[in-house]
Structure formats: structure tokens, C-alpha cells
Amino acid sequence: MESKEIRQKFLDFFKAKGHKIVPSHSLVPDDETVLFTTAGMQQFNDVLSGQKNPLEEFGSRLLTSCQKCFRTNDIEEVGDISHHTFFEMLGNWSIGGEKEGGYFKEKAIEYALDFFVKELGLDKDKLWVTIFKGNKEIPRDQEALAIWQNHGIPDNHIKEFGMSDNFWGPVLDEGPCGPCSEIHYDRGESFGCDNKECGPNCSHCQRFVELWNLVFMEYNRLKDNKGGYKYLKLPQQNVDTGIGFERLVTILAGKESSYETDLFQPLIATIETSTDKKYEENKKAFRIIADHIRGSLFLIGDGILPDNLGRGYILRRLLRRSIRYAKILDLKEYWYLGLIKELIKIYGEIYPAIKRKESEIVTVIEKEEDKFGKTLSKGLSQLKKIISGTEERGEKKLIKGKLVFDLYQSYGFPLELTQELAAENGFEIEKDKFQEEFEKHQKISRQGADKKFGGHGLSGEESDDSILKQLHTATHLLQAALRLVLGPTVEQKGSDINSQRLRFDFSFPRKMSAEEIKQVEDLVNQTIKENLKVEKEKMSLEAALRSGALSFFREEYPPEVYVYKVFNPRTGKVFSKEICKGPHLKETGQLGVFKIIKEESSSAGVRRIKATLK
């Protein structure tokens, strides 16, 4: 069974059970405090917690999706049998129990077994399940145990675990949470160990693979007055489930690793056409390139560009690690083009945005490869000199922090790449000293930050120049409009104001179309026409970030900041909310007519707009 058929079977199965198929959310989550979307349930947080009504948000209490996900905690592990950066999660949700028109443990377990056994044909005798064994605050999940038994799972295939394995949540210190049941698949003795107690969650082998986690949200964890927590029953019961798609495809294909399935084999074959080296003798390098280009394609597809901070830094790490291993395999020029084509064949139907953005994806990777490719050989040579010199002097196998920073600054080596290269030679690096050097560099770079922070060279709150106030307020409206038209991954990269015009630099990989420019102009002028209120509030930086205020230069902000909010005083709807020094007008109606006079490239992946007010 092909992977795309498995994905579609899952969605069709739950659609037939009354679930609404919800498209995948972006890898860039709505919550600005979270780097990436890491689980299928993230886009449903507000309805799972009861803050919003699922009928108003999604038109149904029963939902299903195939969600793009991205995790960064194991990037260095990619290259082994199982780790990935990008992955997909299949999931189904019931927001509310039977009284609200949803379902709970009985139906969740019934659906899971029906899909695995009847739809996919998995051998029921190879399925093992886990339940929550209980503790002082929360009883053993007897209900789930009885349901599994009633559905024919033998007692010796049911294992019990505690909070770390079989209790989910909450996301924060307080909130909805509950016991979970996991379905594991027994791959057989050839994958096992000599441990007589071998079973699900065995730490010695990979015989048992967790395929599906069924979370039963029935508790609300709250802080008590003794410094601990109490668990109260929720008025609304929810079901939240998730299948690791790559794992499921691997099991159904009868393979050892997802790299041997149709999700990766076309990529492996493409890499082999670009080198005289073979996958079987170079598995780590092939897997790293295949995984990282796949992950990079989806990050770029969701509007992320290479950068030295945040999400862009993760993308840069992936691309530069790929480029390094492409050099090891001696891949031909433009080696990534064939991989992009294959990835679009594999994923283009389910995620059509990557097909539409193919040329942008190619451009971003090409620019990064060109940029890093020029310095990679020199940087590797310099690192080799550092290592050999240290060994010749008989010194400790440690690369000094300043040298690590020099590799970063002069040759574009991400810290993690230098650490990986050092480890391959039995060396460690001085991470703390690197951080000190990095912070020194930031301090020097911030000499002109006051201009960027305030948007001009004046002293912020002390300026009464009405033209600067108008243009500065218009800059906020422009950024908000750009994010609405081009997407939330637009980030400010710099700005400048003089008495004639405003200049705004922002992350975006291509030239804006005439239609997009007009849409942005119209949005800004509409907010001017509506005469929205501009409100200033002083608060701590932490509180400002929690409130959702935009902040792209947060390392430059003082402990206390001003947050400017542009909103409709009648409806309360917010158009723009940013951390800024000012100065600003009090109402947008004082601005006049906004006009974009030029849109051009500022640097790789950064566009520049110049605009005026008439």
C-alpha cells in the first residue's frame, strides 16, 4: 500500500464516521511563543480547552486532519534509522463527550481498532496496548482497560505505565489533561532483545513501535495552596489522538526504517544518480540530505527564509548541513533540483502550496548553497588546521570559543555544525565562550539599533515632528497589511523614516505582484479611512511578548517597553500591535493617502518598500 493511499484511507475513514476533514495548519503556529507546529492538536488548542466553540470555529465537534509537523530537538540525530525533522501526524478529535454530541473512550478505541485491523489489515495479534496505571491523585484507567479487553486484546498484551508514559498534558502548568492509551505494534523477535520483560516502551530495543496515542482529556490540573497540583474532573470530555504517519507507513511496508519506504526511496534514488557512491555504504549522508531537503522545502513553502535567528536559523542549519554532506558525497551541481521535483511528486497533491511555490523554493536553496558553498571549503580547511595544531601541541581536544565564533562569523558555520565536525574528530567546543563572543558581536552591531528600534534617528518620545509621527504610524499599518496579504511569516528586517518617505525592509523571497501591492495599499488606506484608534501602553517586555505584540528585534529591547495598538474602538478588533518607541499619532484618520512608490530587493530573501503619505 502506497503512503498516499494510507493517508487518504485515514481521512476517508473518519469522514465516513461523521468527522470534518480540517486542512493542515502552517508549520508557523499562531502562538508566537512557539517555534513550530509540533503536533496535530495545536490548531485545536482553543476548542480543546473550551475557550472557543468548535461549531463556530470548525463547524463540527468531530474533526480529523493530516498535519504537517516539525521538531528541532533531534536534528543532530537525523541520519540514524528513525529520526526526522519534518513529519506528518494523522489525528481525530471529539470536542465534548456523548452528552455534547461527541464520543469518548469506547468509540475512540473502537475506531482505532477498526481502522488498523479492518481498513489496513494489521494483524490484531501483533497489537499491544498501554493504559494509565494510576497514582495518588488519579485512579487507574479501569474504563479503558475494560474496553480493550472487551475488544479482544488479551491481558498479556496490555501493559500499565505511569504519568511519564501514559498521561498527557497539560501544555502549560495548568489546564486540560488526561490519561492516554497507546497502541504498539510488535515487529517480532528479530528486532528484540534478551530482556524477558520486553514489551512496549522497552529501553533496550525497537521491537515494539508506538503507532497511535489516544488521549482522553477528562481532568483539569490546577495549582493548589500547598505548592502542588490538584486534578479536577472537566465538565467537557475530549478525545485527542495522533498517529506518526512515517512510522505507520514503515510498518505497513514491512521495512526497518521510513527511509526504505516510498516517502524517501525516490529521494535516495535521485541522490544516487548525482554521485558514484551508493546508499548502502553511505546511509547517514543520504538520510541527512533527504530529510533536511524535505524539511527545508516545507519550511520555505510556509514562508520561512534562512536567517541567523529563530525559525530562519533552523532552516539555515538544515540547508548548510545538507550542503556539507552533499560535498562529502561529491554531488553534481544543482543536486537539489531533482530532490525538489521528487518531493513535489510525493506531497504536491496533499499540500498544493509547495507546487505553487516551487520556483521560490528553488531560489532560496540556490542562494543559500551559493553563499555557503563559497566558504565551506575554506572553513573546513581552517577547522582542520585548528584540530591538527591542537593535536601537535598535545593540548586538550577542545576548540576555543573564539575560534568557534570565527568559523561562524567568517565562514558561516552554524554552532551546531562546528560541534558535529569537532565530535567526528573526538573534540569538544567551548559553547559558553562562543556565546560570550556572540554577545560581544551583538553589542557592537547594536550601535545603530536605536535608529532601527525607533524607526528614525530622533529620540522617540521627545519628537513632536508631525510628519515623522504620521510616517511612523503608517509603518505599523504597512507591516500589518503585508502580513495579511503575504502571510504571517513576513518579518521586519529594518526601517527608516525621513521627512519625505518611509522605508521598510521585510522578509519575503520574491518580488511582489502589482495586485499584491495594490491590496496592501488598499488595506492601509481602509484603516486610515476607518480612523482607528492608536493606543500606547507601557509594560514589561515579558508581558508585551505574552500579549502577542510583534517583536522582531527583541534582543535590542529594554526590560520595559511601549506597546502600540491600532484598533477599532467600537468593535475592539485589533489591526496592529507592536513593541516600539514611537512617536505615533492618536488616530489613523490624520494620515492622509498612503502610496507605495517602490518595491525592490534589499538583499537575499529581503524586500524593500518605499512609501509616502499625501
Side-chain angles (χ1 to χ4, degrees):
M1 194 182 303
E2 293 185 352
S3 59
K4 63 181 179 181
E5 184 182 354
I6 298 168
R7 189 191 290 112
Q8 195 59 50
K9 271 183 175 287
F10 179 86
L11 296 174
D12 290 344
F13 176 85
F14 280 100
K15 183 179 180 181
K17 303 293 183 186
H19 293 62
K20 181 177 180 179
I21 299 174
V22 180
S24 173
H25 193 272
S26 168
L27 287 172
V28 179
D30 293 331
D31 184 349
E32 286 292 328
T33 65
V34 180
L35 198 62
F36 293 115
T37 299
T38 59
M41 54 78 66
Q42 270 176 253
Q43 67 169 316
F44 305 121
N45 268 338
D46 288 344
V47 294
L48 287 169
S49 64
Q51 295 177 36
K52 293 184 179 179
N53 187 325
L55 299 178
E56 294 175 2
E57 295 297 310
F58 299 102
S60 176
R61 288 188 177 276
L62 308 183
L63 308 169
T64 187
S65 79
C66 177
Q67 173 64 48
K68 299 179 292 184
C69 299
F70 198 98
R71 291 180 184 166
T72 62
N73 52 330
D74 293 318
I75 292 178
E76 286 77 20
E77 301 300 320
V78 172
D80 65 7
I81 195 173
S82 60
H83 284 92
H84 301 298
T85 50
F86 171 87
F87 62 100
E88 295 173 272
M89 287 290 288
L90 304 175
N92 61 287
W93 291 266
S94 173
I95 317 298
E98 293 179 7
K99 288 187 288 186
E100 293 85 8
Y103 57 85
F104 202 45
K105 296 179 185 180
E106 176 67 50
K107 280 292 182 185
I109 290 172
E110 177 188 321
Y111 289 159
L113 286 173
D114 280 354
F115 180 69
F116 270 177
V117 178
K118 295 178 182 178
E119 289 292 319
L120 298 185
L122 286 175
D123 185 348
K124 192 174 180 180
D125 291 337
K126 293 186 176 181
L127 299 182
W128 292 56
V129 301
T130 64
I131 65 164
F132 179 60
K133 70 179 181 181
N135 60 20
K136 292 179 182 178
E137 295 85 10
I138 302 169
R140 181 189 193 213
D141 196 347
Q142 292 284 159
E143 183 183 0
L145 173 63
I147 296 169
W148 288 116
Q149 289 171 332
N150 291 340
H151 280 279
I153 302 297
D155 288 348
N156 66 338
H157 278 210
I158 302 174
K159 299 294 181 183
E160 301 179 22
F161 294 92
M163 296 289 284
S164 61
D165 291 301
N166 275 89
F167 196 90
W168 183 91
V171 175
L172 302 174
D173 283 346
E174 299 179 299
C177 54
C180 59
S181 270
E182 297 171 340
I183 303 178
H184 295 248
Y185 185 83
D186 182 1
R187 296 202 288 178
E189 292 182 1
S190 62
F191 289 90
C193 58
D194 296 329
N195 185 1
K196 292 181 181 179
E197 300 300 318
C198 184
N201 298 326
C202 178
S203 60
H204 303 290
C205 68
Q206 296 183 331
R207 173 175 173 173
F208 294 87
V209 178
E210 178 200 332
L211 290 182
W212 204 338
N213 189 13
L214 314 177
V215 179
F216 309 121
M217 292 185 184
E218 53 183 319
Y219 292 96
N220 190 21
R221 186 170 84 168
L222 301 170
K223 292 179 181 178
D224 61 25
N225 55 12
K226 299 177 183 177
Y229 296 97
K230 56 185 177 182
Y231 292 83
L232 305 178
K233 279 281 189 175
L234 280 171
Q236 170 182 290
Q237 296 174 328
N238 302 320
V239 170
D240 164 22
T241 87
I243 297 175
F245 182 59
E246 282 80 0
R247 287 184 183 180
L248 181 59
V249 171
T250 303
I251 293 300
L252 289 171
K255 301 295 185 181
E256 181 183 24
S257 163
S258 59
Y259 290 106
E260 275 76 61
T261 71
D262 66 352
L263 293 172
F264 281 98
Q265 275 302 294
L267 307 181
I268 301 296
T270 299
I271 295 171
E272 283 192 326
T273 64
S274 193
T275 178
D276 57 1
K277 297 177 173 65
K278 298 299 179 185
Y279 171 67
E280 288 302 321
E281 290 83 43
N282 299 275
K283 286 185 177 180
K284 180 180 178 180
F286 273 73
R287 289 171 176 174
I288 287 171
I289 292 170
D291 173 90
H292 286 8
I293 292 298
R294 183 177 77 150
S296 297
L297 174 135
F298 279 100
L299 292 180
I300 299 166
D302 278 345
I304 297 166
L305 299 172
D307 201 344
N308 290 329
L309 294 170
R311 299 181 183 107
Y313 180 69
I314 298 299
L315 173 59
R316 176 155 282 165
R317 277 179 64 188
L318 296 193
L319 288 174
R320 295 195 171 188
R321 195 169 185 232
S322 301
I323 294 163
R324 183 238 166 169
Y325 277 96
K327 182 176 177 65
I328 289 173
L329 294 179
D330 197 23
L331 297 187
K332 297 173 185 174
E333 192 176 13
Y334 304 117
W335 50 272
Y336 45 84
L337 294 178
L339 295 176
I340 293 170
K341 293 285 185 189
E342 289 298 331
L343 284 163
I344 288 172
K345 286 181 190 176
I346 297 168
Y347 292 103
E349 275 185 45
I350 187 76
Y351 306 116
I354 62 171
K355 191 183 295 185
R356 293 195 304 269
K357 294 187 174 183
E358 180 179 357
S359 62
E360 293 175 26
I361 293 166
V362 169
T363 299
V364 171
I365 296 177
E366 183 178 11
K367 285 182 177 179
E368 190 69 10
E369 205 256 356
D370 183 59
K371 187 176 182 180
F372 186 53
K374 291 175 180 176
T375 61
L376 176 59
S377 295
K378 292 178 182 177
L380 289 171
S381 176
Q382 181 65 19
L383 181 61
K384 187 176 179 181
K385 289 178 183 176
I386 293 169
I387 289 172
S388 61
T390 303
E391 289 176 334
E392 287 170 8
R393 293 189 297 271
E395 297 174 353
K396 183 180 178 182
K397 291 190 172 186
L398 180 71
I399 301 176
K400 301 290 185 183
K402 187 174 188 316
L403 295 174
V404 176
F405 180 74
D406 287 344
L407 287 167
Y408 167 81
Q409 185 183 33
S410 302
Y411 304 104
F413 277 38
L415 169 66
E416 296 79 7
L417 177 58
T418 301
Q419 188 172 18
E420 182 178 5
L421 290 162
E424 289 173 4
N425 289 275
F427 275 65
E428 295 180 348
I429 65 171
E430 281 187 331
K431 290 181 75 171
D432 292 346
K433 296 295 182 183
F434 167 85
Q435 195 61 38
E436 288 178 14
E437 293 292 329
F438 184 76
E439 287 170 5
K440 279 185 203 172
H441 174 70
Q442 280 188 314
K443 190 173 181 180
I444 294 168
S445 298
R446 283 201 296 265
Q447 288 176 349
D450 192 54
K451 182 177 180 180
K452 184 165 61 175
F453 186 22
H456 53 79
L458 303 179
S459 57
E461 294 301 308
E462 298 173 355
S463 171
D464 290 323
D465 190 315
S466 62
I467 296 174
L468 289 173
K469 284 185 178 182
Q470 289 173 16
L471 289 169
H472 207 135
T473 305
T475 302
H476 284 228
L477 303 184
L478 171 59
Q479 174 158 233
L482 284 167
R483 287 168 66 86
L484 286 171
V485 173
L486 303 179
T489 56
V490 165
E491 295 188 354
Q492 181 179 352
K493 295 298 179 184
S495 67
D496 183 55
I497 291 170
N498 60 34
S499 60
Q500 306 299 317
R501 54 95 186 119
L502 69 84
R503 190 198 76 207
F504 186 76
D505 296 346
F506 61 98
S507 58
F508 198 60
R510 60 169 172 81
K511 182 179 180 179
M512 289 175 65
S513 67
E515 182 183 353
E516 288 168 336
I517 291 172
K518 186 176 185 303
Q519 284 179 316
V520 170
E521 281 184 345
D522 289 348
L523 264 173
V524 173
N525 284 314
Q526 182 62 33
T527 63
I528 294 171
K529 184 179 179 182
E530 291 173 356
N531 196 25
L532 302 185
K533 186 176 180 181
V534 183
E535 185 176 85
K536 179 181 78 172
E537 183 179 0
K538 190 175 184 179
M539 62 182 75
S540 70
L541 175 59
E542 185 180 350
L545 296 176
R546 278 202 310 269
S547 77
L550 292 182
S551 53
F552 301 121
F553 309 116
R554 68 181 60 178
E555 77 280 3
E556 299 166 7
Y557 298 143
E560 286 200 323
V561 296
Y562 287 105
V563 172
Y564 284 85
K565 180 171 71 172
V566 181
F567 68 103
N568 187 319
R570 296 183 300 279
T571 65
K573 185 176 180 181
V574 176
F575 183 76
S576 167
K577 191 175 187 181
E578 289 188 43
I579 296 174
C580 190
K581 275 186 177 178
H584 299 78
L585 299 173
K586 292 185 178 179
E587 294 174 326
T588 62
Q590 303 171 41
L591 290 178
V593 179
F594 176 84
K595 178 68 177 175
I596 294 175
I597 56 175
K598 184 176 254 187
E599 191 274 345
E600 60 188 352
S601 173
S602 170
S603 58
V606 177
R607 305 298 297 177
R608 172 170 290 172
I609 279 178
K610 292 180 181 177
T612 61
L613 290 167
K614 295 180 181 177

